[in-house]
Amino acid sequence: ICPMGNMAQAPISVHLTGLTPDVAGSAKVLLYLHDNYLADASAALAASTEVSLLAGQTVRVELVPDPLAKQVGKTAAEMEEPSLYVSMGEGDLFADPVFDVKPGQVVEMKLKRRSS
C-alpha cells in the first residue's frame, strides 16, 4: 500500500513565525508532490494558501494534499517513491523548504523578509 494513499485524510499543519519578532508581511505557502524516483522531474502543486503575518505573530495553516494532483501523469498512489515538501511562493516573506513531509505532520517554518 502506498504510504501517501490516505493523503486527503491527513492534512499537514504549517506553523509560521518570524525569524525575528519584527518580521511581518505576506506569503504563499505551497505543498508540492514529488516522486523521488524521478529525481529531476518538476514537482506538482498539491495545495496552497495565502498567509499574512503580523510582527510577533504565529500563523497556523493546514494544507490538505489534493489526491488527484499529478506529477508526470501520476498521482501519489501511482508513484514509485511519493514525497511531499512545503515551500514558499510569492510574497515579501520566505523560508527554506521543508522536504520529506508526511501526512499529519506539523511543520515549523521561520519566515524572513525577501531582500529588495
Side-chain angles (χ1 to χ4, degrees):
I1 288 181
C2 168
M4 299 286 184
N6 65 347
M7 283 191 346
Q9 293 124 13
I12 291 141
S13 182
V14 182
H15 297 184
L16 305 155
T17 56
L19 186 61
T20 58
D22 61 331
V23 172
S26 63
K28 193 167 198 176
V29 184
L30 307 171
L31 179 67
Y32 284 101
L33 172 65
H34 183 261
D35 190 342
N36 288 331
Y37 186 75
L38 305 172
D40 295 333
S42 296
L45 184 63
S48 68
T49 190
E50 303 263 344
V51 296
S52 292
L53 182 74
L54 300 174
Q57 181 184 35
T58 296
V59 175
R60 291 172 177 82
V61 297
E62 288 199 345
L63 297 172
V64 178
D66 179 354
L68 302 178
K70 292 184 177 185
Q71 180 198 25
V72 193
K74 292 185 178 183
T75 64
E78 300 166 324
M79 292 179 175
E80 295 290 325
E81 297 176 37
S83 67
L84 296 166
Y85 70 91
V86 180
S87 183
M88 303 302 292
E90 307 156 355
D92 48 1
L93 300 177
F94 77 99
D96 294 330
V98 178
F99 295 97
D100 296 319
V101 175
K102 305 291 184 238
Q105 182 175 339
V106 174
V107 175
E108 303 280 344
M109 298 182 88
K110 298 288 187 185
L111 300 175
K112 302 168 253 189
R113 293 201 56 79
R114 291 190 194 274
S115 299
S116 300

